[in-house]
Amino acid sequence: RPFAPSPTHRLSTAMAPRAPVLSACIVAAGVIGTVHLFAGERQAEASFVMPNLRGEAAAALAAAVLAGSLAMPAPASAGLKYSVFGFGEGTSDAYNQIDADQPNPYNVFSNPKDKIYVQDNPEYIAKKKVACDESFKRLQELPPLIKTRQAENVKSLLTLQLGSLRSNMEYITANGSPGYGDYDQSGPKWVKANKFFQKIVDVKVAAES
C-alpha cells in the first residue's frame, strides 16, 4: 500500500525551502543598513568641515587676537598688598575696607567725629515724646475694655501703636539708643520705668489667658 503523507507533513515540507530564503533576506537587509550608516557618517563629516580662510580674513583674525591680548589688564595679584589683622598697607584686605581715618581697625563704621547720628539730638527726643503722648492717650481706652471683658480688643490695643511705647520710653529714659545712652538698670529712673512696663505686660498676659 503506498504511503499517503498527512496534511501536517505536506505543510512542513512546503515551508522548508522558504527558511534559507528568509535568512538570506535578513542578512541582505543588514548589509544594506550598514552601508547606509557609513555613508551617512561620511556625509555628516563632510558637511562639518571647516572652510579654509582666505589670506585677508586670516590676517584680520590674527590682528584681532593680538589686539585683545594687548588690551588685557595685568594680573590682579601683581598689585596686591596684604596686612595682618588690619595693620599694614594692604588695601585688598577685608580689615582695610573701612575709612582711612577710622582709629579702630575692627570698626566698619565711620570715625566718631564725623558721625551723623547724635544720641542726644533734641529732634529725636521730641519725636519719641510725641509718640509716647499718643500712646498714653490710647491707654485711656483700656479700662472700659477690661471692664467689659473685651480680650481681643485689649490685645489689639496693646499690640498696635502701643507696641512701640516701651522702646520710646527707654530712649527718653536713657537719653539715647542702646550703645549710646545710659542703660544702667539699677538707677531709680529705670526701676520706675520697668515697673510700668511690667504692668503693661501683666495686662496683656491676662487678656491672652
Side-chain angles (χ1 to χ4, degrees):
R1 183 179 179 181
F3 174 73
S6 64
T8 306
H9 178 73
R10 288 198 298 268
L11 180 61
S12 60
T13 305
M15 293 182 62
R18 298 182 182 179
V21 176
L22 182 61
S23 302
C25 291
I26 294 175
V27 172
V31 172
I32 294 172
T34 306
V35 171
H36 279 287
L37 178 61
F38 281 105
E41 290 182 355
R42 292 178 180 177
Q43 184 178 2
E45 292 177 359
S47 61
F48 285 99
V49 173
M50 293 296 294
N52 294 328
L53 296 176
R54 294 183 178 180
E56 296 179 357
L61 179 60
V65 173
L66 179 60
S69 61
L70 292 177
M72 291 179 61
S77 59
L80 288 179
K81 295 182 179 179
Y82 296 95
S83 61
V84 179
F85 298 110
F87 297 97
E89 299 180 355
T91 56
S92 302
D93 195 343
Y95 288 100
N96 278 335
Q97 295 177 0
I98 59 176
D99 295 342
D101 60 344
Q102 172 56 257
N104 186 355
Y106 304 103
N107 192 346
V108 297
F109 299 102
S110 59
N111 195 310
K113 65 181 181 62
D114 298 326
K115 65 180 181 180
I116 300 175
Y117 173 74
V118 180
Q119 68 273 14
D120 55 353
N121 190 333
E123 181 180 358
Y124 301 148
I125 300 294
K127 289 182 179 180
K128 301 295 183 181
K129 288 183 177 180
V130 170
C132 286
D133 291 339
E134 179 63 25
S135 299
F136 294 146
K137 290 179 182 179
R138 300 194 182 194
L139 275 177
Q140 302 302 320
E141 306 173 8
L142 191 59
L145 296 177
I146 296 176
K147 186 177 181 180
T148 55
R149 298 181 181 276
Q150 301 182 37
E152 293 299 325
N153 289 331
V154 170
K155 291 189 292 184
S156 176
L157 179 66
L158 297 177
T159 304
L160 298 177
Q161 198 275 342
L162 283 169
S164 61
L165 176 60
R166 177 165 186 162
S167 62
N168 292 331
M169 291 184 63
E170 287 179 344
Y171 191 99
I172 296 173
T173 304
N175 196 29
S177 60
Y180 294 95
D182 179 17
Y183 280 79
D184 183 8
Q185 303 292 319
S186 61
K189 57 182 180 180
W190 278 106
V191 173
K192 186 179 295 185
N194 288 329
K195 287 183 179 179
F196 174 77
F197 299 151
Q198 187 59 47
K199 290 181 179 179
I200 297 295
V201 171
D202 292 342
V203 172
K204 187 175 180 181
V205 171
E208 292 176 350
S209 59

